[in-house]
Amino acid sequence: MSRLEEKLHKHHEQHIYQDHEEECGHEHHEHAHRHDHGENCGCGHEHHEHAHRHDHGEGCGCGHDHGHHHEESPKDIHEMPAGITQKIYILENLGCANCAAKMERKINALPEVEAAAITFATKKLVVASDHQKNLLPKLQKICSSIESEVIVVPKEVKEAKKKEKRGFFETNKADILGIGSGAVLFIAGITAENMETAPLVNQIVFILAYLILGFEIIWKALKNLKNGRVFDENFLMSVATIAAFAIGDFAEAVGVMLFYRVGEFFEDVAVERSRSQIMEAVDLRPEVVNLVEEESVKEIPADKAKVGDVIMIRPGDRIPLDGTVLHGESRIDTSPVTGEPVPVHVREGMEVISGCVNEQGVLKVRVEKPLSESMVTRILDSVENAAASKPKIDRFITRFARIYTPIVVAAAVLTAVVPSLVSGDWNHWIYTAITFLVISCPCALVLSVPLAFFSGIGAGSKTGILFKGGLAIEALKDIKTVVMDKTGTVTKGNFAVERIVTVRRLTEKQILSIAADCELDSSHPIGNSIVQEARKRGLESVRPKEVQEISGKGIKAVFPEGEVLCGNRALMEANGINLEKFHWEEGGTEVLIAVEGELEGYLIINDIIKEEAKEAVKNMKYAGLFTVMLTGDASQSAHAVADRIGIEEVHAQLLPQEKLSHLKDIRKRHGEVMFVGDGINDAPVLAGADVGAAMGSGADAAIEAADVVFMTSSVQAIVDSVKIAKSTGRVAMQNVVFALAVKLLVVILGFAGYANMWMAVFADTGVAMLCVLNSIRILYARHGIPQSKPLTGRTDCV
């Protein structure tokens, strides 16, 4: 379990000495080359706080245009200098994606604001400014001038308020009663009209229904008009329905307003439900914990628990805070955090991570991290921050919406006037024009993209994949090549005894026992693997009388039975040992054992290949991805691992800057590149790749530089992340094409005389609601790779 915590926080130092190193050939990434993100990192780029968000220019060294990282805004909230204060606000009652985009532009225009970003999916506003104290009134003025119901609340104030759990009817009482009473009057008006009652009675009923349904819309339109907002959906809807009244279509005006209100209501419900479903999927934060005090247990708020407190976790409980097991033994379901379905056994002294579920025994755990620093909070913050990173398609749609509405409104005016002057049929062309006014609302378009990418981010977090934004997903769906490091990526980074070979009178157990005795005080990974294997087999260790370490060769030890040499071939040759019976084998590191001047046998040590690596590489090829290994390890070892799991191209014994050079060449030959690594010296190449991915068990520098973090450290997660990215990109494009196609179709039908305002309302609110529902499917789709269908074709999930 302790390796899980490293996924976003720690990098544990290892003490590596040089014995066996010459024969091993393994370059241990954590120490071989310690590069900070700076001038010496090898990529030639100035690295800021968030490496994965760099605008890589010519100095990157990767030879590739990284324009997708920054497409539009010169102000980026994610790249503010460390000295600039950032504050988070929650925009309560924010219901319009297009309005959110307008708010963001106006807030960014404030002279005291360095950068601002609004995430519609989470209702979060992040402002970078050194003048935060007097900023709130200005933010409130801007937001309420665009969407009058919006209230700007500092995040800390919002979180301090106790959540009120209200039912669906209570939450939406005003809308339900208003729509319901308006619908009753509309039906009454239609009924009276069919019964041929006095026209005045019908008109009064329709006007009353219209006021109930449309008063709020008209009032918002007037307030927005006062603030200079002409192309507002409320104003456009008001003009369209009032124009219908003017040409005598009373029933049409009321019916369209009713349909619009119903559509808006369901759209708001769908958006809110999608928000809550995505956040609930990743928000594993507890409300209370069971604090152990002497012999009693009491509930306290989770945020009140302090480091050092002891908490009780019963079977079936979710682990609330990161901690260490003091008492008890159990199996832990880590899938809510890592997506890994196999439970993990924990006992006293082991670390447990918040968000996982205790399946069996009662555990007493010492709190090591408060709620604000525990894994559940870090995951939630990561998802929320990722949602603020806007992909190119989102920025394009936002820009497109700014010109789309004026163009359609202008077309509506021309449609009302020009054909009417020619034909004299003013009623028909005015009616056609007001359908255009309704269609001109861009909300369905602006809403169609961010929720799709937010759903993709949520789907990834459910399976242990943290995307650091929509940009990462957008770039990932287009990659052609997967480049992997070896140690810690396709292998576990843990050495193990693979085989023991005897050549004279000693048995395998005796060879292993002697080697373990020599390596008792070793801190080298190979030496540790020998000692661990001996303990696993229940062999007792005997400490030698004398131990001499011979740098780069091995150990000379003296036992009561005689002198033992334990090391590589160079050690044996230096001591005149006859090696005729030694047969070198490619792909492993041999540790030879000689007793009293005679070779007795040798052990073959290998870095353990991850169980899923071979199948994952097979899935990558099936998906049309070219696979490459770049590693600092010895060539023989690298090629042996690559051959076993099926990697197509290998480059070994590379320095960090050489990895970057090879990455540039691979991109030229095969297209966009994803690099997956976990070491400190992987950071430059992670930052230089089109998409950088870090194994969650790796170093902090690698995780910071990466665009994607695989919390499971599974090779299969590479394939799953590509599938989620492709699904997300496909759904976003479906939404955009569907919204534009429906609007264009209604425009064409309107010119042909077949469209009406009902169809226009559907093209606005109806399409928006369908786009929301289409987006949320990503969260619940199965993202495992189907064996029968490649990623390059259509899949069964979306």
Side-chain angles (χ1 to χ4, degrees):
M1 287 293 290
S2 61
R3 294 293 289 173
L4 284 174
E5 184 169 0
E6 291 179 320
K7 63 182 168 290
L8 291 176
H9 318 318
K10 298 179 180 177
H11 170 53
H12 294 293
E13 294 288 324
Q14 299 176 354
H15 303 287
I16 297 180
Y17 72 95
Q18 295 301 315
D19 297 348
H20 311 306
E21 196 72 21
E22 186 177 299
E23 185 70 77
C24 166
H26 285 278
E27 176 188 354
H28 300 283
H29 295 276
E30 291 83 0
H31 301 275
H33 297 275
R34 292 188 62 87
H35 282 282
D36 294 328
H37 276 282
E39 59 182 348
N40 297 322
C41 82
C43 70
H45 185 62
E46 180 184 356
H47 297 277
H48 299 288
E49 185 177 359
H50 296 273
H52 66 280
R53 294 272 306 172
H54 296 328
D55 183 12
H56 294 270
E58 291 178 2
C60 171
C62 65
H64 186 62
D65 180 13
H66 292 268
H68 66 272
H69 281 217
H70 291 287
E71 185 70 17
E72 181 187 45
S73 175
K75 291 181 173 184
D76 194 324
I77 195 69
H78 298 282
E79 294 193 347
M80 285 296 104
I84 304 296
T85 304
Q86 292 190 12
K87 189 165 183 177
I88 300 173
Y89 301 88
I90 304 300
L91 304 182
E92 292 186 342
N93 305 320
L94 178 67
C96 170
N98 191 43
C99 298
K102 293 176 182 177
M103 294 173 194
E104 182 177 285
R105 287 197 299 272
K106 283 201 170 186
I107 293 170
N108 269 306
L110 291 173
E112 59 266 58
V113 171
E114 295 293 334
I118 293 178
T119 309
F120 175 72
T122 57
K123 299 184 179 179
K124 189 167 75 171
L125 164 64
V126 183
V127 179
S129 172
D130 284 334
H131 306 278
Q132 299 281 1
K133 188 175 180 182
N134 302 315
L135 203 53
L136 181 58
K138 295 182 179 180
L139 299 177
Q140 181 62 64
K141 183 178 179 182
I142 288 173
C143 293
S144 56
S145 71
I146 295 173
E147 194 170 358
S148 57
E149 300 87 353
V150 170
I151 301 173
V152 183
V153 181
K155 186 180 180 182
E156 60 271 18
V157 175
K158 176 71 175 176
E159 290 182 346
K161 294 180 181 178
K162 190 175 181 179
K163 291 183 179 179
E164 297 181 10
K165 294 184 178 180
R166 299 191 297 170
F168 177 80
F169 179 79
E170 188 178 356
T171 303
N172 302 286
K173 184 191 295 184
D175 284 328
I176 293 172
L177 292 177
I179 293 171
S181 56
V184 169
L185 286 172
F186 173 67
I187 293 170
I190 293 292
T191 303
E193 194 173 58
N194 290 336
M195 294 175 63
E196 297 184 358
T197 56
L200 183 60
V201 174
N202 295 345
Q203 292 172 7
I204 291 173
V205 172
F206 282 131
I207 291 172
L208 185 58
Y210 182 80
L211 290 175
I212 292 173
L213 293 167
F215 178 78
E216 184 180 352
I217 305 297
I218 296 172
W219 182 246
K220 288 180 186 177
L222 292 174
K223 286 198 294 184
N224 292 334
L225 195 61
K226 180 183 175 183
N227 293 320
R229 291 185 57 220
V230 178
F231 300 126
D232 167 73
E233 63 174 337
N234 297 296
F235 176 75
L236 296 170
M237 196 68 205
S238 299
V239 170
T241 50
I242 290 171
F245 269 109
I247 61 176
D249 284 339
F250 283 66
E252 184 91 351
V254 177
V256 166
M257 183 60 78
L258 172 62
F259 189 27
Y260 175 75
R261 285 291 306 276
V262 170
E264 283 283 290
F265 175 71
F266 281 112
E267 179 189 333
D268 291 343
V269 169
V271 169
E272 200 58 43
R273 181 65 60 87
S274 68
R275 279 194 186 115
S276 63
Q277 286 176 333
I278 295 169
M279 296 312 296
E280 284 171 8
V282 298
D283 190 357
L284 307 176
R285 294 176 302 176
E287 293 185 3
V288 296
V289 298
N290 295 314
L291 180 68
V292 178
E293 291 185 331
E294 297 179 355
E295 298 301 320
S296 63
V297 178
K298 72 172 185 178
E299 277 192 358
I300 63 169
D303 58 356
K304 300 297 181 184
K306 303 184 296 295
V307 174
D309 284 349
V310 178
I311 59 176
M312 178 180 286
I313 305 167
R314 300 182 178 90
D317 287 352
R318 191 180 298 278
I319 296 171
L321 304 168
D322 296 2
T324 303
V325 178
L326 294 181
H327 179 75
E329 192 170 342
S330 183
R331 292 178 70 84
I332 301 295
D333 176 13
T334 65
S335 60
V337 175
T338 67
E340 175 57 51
V342 180
V344 176
H345 182 264
V346 296
R347 56 184 180 276
E348 292 179 14
M350 296 184 69
E351 298 176 5
V352 290
I353 302 299
S354 53
C356 303
V357 177
N358 180 24
E359 291 189 339
Q360 293 178 337
V362 176
L363 298 175
K364 288 185 179 178
V365 174
R366 182 180 63 239
V367 176
E368 303 292 350
K369 298 278 181 66
L371 181 63
S372 60
E373 298 176 18
S374 285
M375 187 60 64
V376 287
T377 302
R378 288 177 179 268
I379 291 172
L380 181 65
D381 289 345
S382 176
V383 171
E384 287 185 334
N385 292 336
S389 171
K390 298 177 182 178
K392 286 191 295 184
I393 188 174
D394 193 2
R395 298 177 186 182
F396 166 75
I397 291 299
T398 302
R399 292 198 303 269
F400 178 76
R402 292 164 65 179
I403 62 171
Y404 164 81
T405 299
I407 289 173
V408 178
V409 170
V413 173
L414 292 174
T415 301
V417 176
V418 176
S420 299
L421 291 174
V422 176
S423 65
D425 190 355
W426 286 88
N427 275 16
H428 170 74
W429 290 110
I430 289 176
Y431 183 86
T432 302
I434 60 181
T435 64
F436 288 3
L437 289 179
V438 177
I439 295 169
S440 66
C441 178
C443 286
L445 280 172
V446 179
L447 184 65
S448 62
V449 174
L451 278 178
F453 277 85
F454 190 39
S455 293
I457 291 166
S461 68
K462 285 176 64 179
T463 55
I465 299 168
L466 291 184
F467 295 106
K468 292 186 180 179
L471 284 170
I473 294 179
E474 192 171 50
L476 186 58
K477 69 181 177 62
D478 296 324
I479 64 161
K480 304 295 188 298
T481 306
V482 176
V483 178
M484 293 165 278
D485 180 39
K486 173 182 166 286
T487 306
T489 302
V490 298
T491 66
K492 293 182 178 180
N494 299 325
F495 291 97
V497 177
E498 190 173 83
R499 197 151 59 89
I500 303 172
V501 179
T502 64
V503 298
R504 290 185 77 240
R505 55 188 174 83
L506 297 185
T507 65
E508 289 186 10
K509 281 189 176 181
Q510 289 172 318
I511 295 291
L512 176 61
S513 181
I514 292 171
D517 293 344
C518 294
E519 300 284 2
L520 272 177
D521 296 321
S522 172
S523 60
H524 192 282
I526 290 179
N528 289 339
S529 70
I530 295 172
V531 175
Q532 289 171 9
E533 181 66 22
R535 288 174 179 170
K536 188 190 301 181
R537 299 193 185 191
L539 302 179
E540 293 185 7
S541 297
V542 177
R543 196 170 297 276
K545 292 170 63 177
E546 297 178 19
V547 176
Q548 179 186 358
E549 295 184 7
I550 303 170
S551 180
K553 295 181 180 180
I555 292 172
K556 180 183 289 186
V558 178
F559 292 88
E561 294 81 5
E563 184 181 83
V564 173
L565 297 174
C566 175
N568 57 27
R569 182 169 186 156
L571 178 66
M572 301 297 145
E573 290 174 344
N575 287 271
I577 304 298
N578 186 343
L579 298 179
E580 287 182 2
K581 295 182 180 180
F582 169 65
H583 302 288
W584 182 83
E585 298 186 23
E586 187 175 346
T589 299
E590 291 85 2
V591 177
L592 289 78
I593 304 296
V595 180
E596 288 294 297
E598 294 287 342
L599 181 67
E600 290 288 349
Y602 52 95
L603 301 90
I604 299 173
I605 314 295
N606 252 326
D607 191 357
I608 303 171
I609 297 174
K610 294 179 179 178
E611 293 84 356
E612 77 286 354
K614 185 174 182 179
E615 187 67 22
V617 170
K618 179 181 176 183
N619 286 333
M620 291 179 208
K621 293 179 181 179
Y622 195 66
L625 300 173
F626 187 75
T627 55
V628 183
M629 179 188 289
L630 298 183
T631 179
D633 292 352
S635 180
Q636 299 95 331
S637 176
H639 279 87
V641 170
D643 289 343
R644 287 177 65 179
I645 65 176
I647 292 178
E648 297 162 274
E649 185 176 319
V650 181
H651 301 277
Q653 294 177 298
L654 301 177
L655 297 175
Q657 58 268 30
E658 292 174 329
K659 286 185 179 181
L660 204 59
S661 175
H662 279 284
L663 188 81
K664 177 180 177 180
D665 178 62
I666 291 165
R667 180 186 288 114
K668 284 181 179 178
R669 290 186 287 115
H670 299 290
E672 291 87 343
V673 172
M674 175 190 195
F675 180 81
V676 188
D678 78 327
I680 286 176
N681 61 344
D682 288 330
V685 69
L686 280 167
D690 296 278
V691 178
M695 290 296 175
S697 57
D700 276 354
I703 290 171
E704 277 297 314
D707 301 296
V708 185
V709 178
F710 300 134
M711 297 165 65
T712 58
S713 294
S714 168
V715 186
Q716 180 60 36
I718 300 172
V719 197
D720 293 343
S721 67
V722 174
K723 182 169 186 183
I724 292 173
K726 288 182 178 292
S727 297
T728 301
R730 185 163 53 247
V731 167
M733 188 56 65
Q734 285 171 358
N735 287 349
V736 171
V737 171
F738 177 63
L740 284 174
V742 171
K743 287 178 179 288
L744 180 62
L745 178 63
V746 174
V747 167
I748 294 171
L749 291 175
F751 272 118
Y754 295 107
N756 55 33
M757 287 175 61
W758 298 77
M759 294 174 65
V761 172
F762 172 77
D764 176 32
T765 58
V767 167
M769 185 171 64
L770 291 175
C771 287
V772 171
L773 296 176
N774 190 39
S775 298
I776 204 69
R777 289 192 304 130
I778 302 170
L779 191 65
Y780 297 100
R782 294 178 59 190
H783 294 290
I785 300 300
Q787 297 301 312
S788 58
K789 298 181 182 179
L791 291 183
T792 48
R794 292 191 59 83
T795 68
D796 58 350
C797 70
V798 286

